[in-house]
Amino acid sequence: MAHNKVILITGASRGIGRAIALAFAEPGSTVIVNYRSGREAAEETAEAVRRRGAQAVLSPFDVAQPEAVKAAFKDITDAFGRLDVLVNNAGITRDNIFPRLKESDWDEVLAVNLKGVFLCCQAAMRPMLKQRFGRIVTITSVVGFTGNAGQCNYAAAKAGIVGLTRSLAREVISRNITVNAVAPGYIETEMTQALSEDARRALLEQIPAGRTGTPEEVAAAVRFLASDEAGYITGQVLHVNGGMYMG
Ligand code: NDP
């Protein structure tokens, strides 16, 4: 599917984004690896993509900075003439119980996890509308559906992604652009390594599969939604969570 396609993945230096970059890596495809600060890790991802026969390009920018986003998308379309797939994966957490949640914790998480998705989707519109083809997949989270104590900011942003996804999906499906989301449950990455042993155990008890998920299992869902075969699927959320939540 990725043959001759240009695919941009935000936050692809590590974790789920890295696995997504690798899932698209095949001869003929161009995988654009975005990150904010982890250059070394992003280089490693790009190298791994190249080993699978794809072209890999680094594109460092902060998804929350409008001018940086515009400039990066312009560079991409100038260089490759198109953008077929946008995967909005970049995300951060700033967890705290609600009475102690700082305004800056709220603003930072909403800026990266929700406004960043808006900015990247809008910047992707020009090439996708022009070429009358596009696939946008955004990584939301199970907590956008269930809520999670200590994550009011994160859950609000992740739930917001669903409204944005469904609305944009309705606007652009007539132009052959689909807009979907993938909602992972509990996946082993640096983001979840910060959890205490107790929190980890409590989480595992809520997962009927009895195990955490892998970044590759999330990447497979993204890859499907970005495929040509998924052209009639839009405005959907695909849950990848071992049965933790059934939407
Ligand atoms: P990691 O913390 O392991 O990786 C986050 C990635 O996002 C890094 O590549 C980081 O790059 C990048 N990033 C962070 N902020 C920005 C920014 N402002 N601009 C550009 N890139 C940025 O996270 P995961 O792989 O665990 O998570 C990936 C996505 O999946 C996130 O949206 C997360 O919310 C979601 N998710 C994760 C779950 C899990 O259990 N792990 C569960 C549900 C959803 P750098 O460090 O170089 O800035």
Side-chain angles (χ1 to χ4, degrees):
M1 165 261 146
H3 192 63
N4 291 335
K5 290 222 156 75
V6 179
I7 303 119
L8 167 63
I9 300 123
T10 67
S13 57
R14 55 191 152 86
I16 294 171
R18 182 181 201 274
I20 295 169
L22 289 174
F24 282 102
E26 65 184 40
S29 67
T30 300
V31 178
I32 301 164
V33 175
N34 160 260
Y35 63 100
R36 179 167 54 176
S37 53
R39 181 166 189 101
E40 214 172 297
E43 294 272 17
E44 278 172 30
T45 300
E47 249 330 294
V49 167
R50 288 184 198 113
R51 279 198 297 275
R52 295 191 179 192
Q55 187 179 1
V57 180
L58 295 188
S59 178
F61 64 88
D62 182 341
V63 295
Q65 298 296 326
E67 294 312 318
V69 171
K70 275 187 210 147
F73 277 72
K74 184 175 183 309
D75 287 349
I76 290 164
T77 43
D78 284 353
F80 304 107
R82 56 188 299 119
L83 176 64
D84 299 287
V85 180
L86 165 65
V87 183
N88 293 301
N89 165 79
I92 58 169
T93 51
R94 297 282 182 273
D95 299 349
N96 219 330
I97 54 166
F98 193 64
R100 292 207 198 130
L101 195 66
K102 293 201 254 34
E103 193 179 338
S104 58
D105 297 330
W106 177 270
D107 288 345
E108 280 175 43
V109 167
L110 269 287
V112 175
N113 296 12
L114 187 56
K115 188 177 175 185
V117 177
F118 154 66
L119 292 171
C120 291
C121 286
Q122 203 166 53
M125 280 301 114
R126 187 196 283 260
M128 288 184 178
L129 287 171
K130 199 168 141 213
Q131 74 210 12
R132 287 191 166 256
F133 177 87
R135 297 278 185 266
I136 297 177
V137 183
T138 302
I139 309 300
T140 173
S141 167
V142 65
V143 309
F145 295 82
T146 61
N148 194 21
Q151 289 197 310
C152 287
N153 51 353
Y154 183 80
K158 292 300 188 183
I161 284 171
V162 178
L164 167 58
T165 296
R166 291 181 174 155
S167 302
L168 182 56
R170 286 181 185 272
E171 283 195 31
V172 296
I173 185 61
S174 62
R175 307 295 186 91
N176 202 20
I177 301 169
T178 66
V179 190
N180 291 289
V182 169
Y186 177 11
I187 312 297
E188 286 295 345
T189 67
E190 273 180 44
M191 187 177 268
T192 44
Q193 269 160 22
L195 289 170
S196 68
E197 264 315 305
D198 282 353
R200 197 175 286 267
R201 214 171 303 117
L203 266 169
L204 275 174
E205 277 167 17
Q206 295 173 41
I207 307 173
R211 66 169 178 88
T212 56
T214 66
E216 290 71 23
E217 286 170 322
V218 178
V222 172
R223 164 104 197 196
F224 167 65
L225 289 172
S227 68
D228 288 346
E229 291 77 7
Y232 204 55
I233 301 174
T234 198
Q236 302 301 314
V237 180
L238 185 45
H239 292 271
V240 181
N241 62 26
M244 194 179 180
Y245 167 83
M246 300 178 188

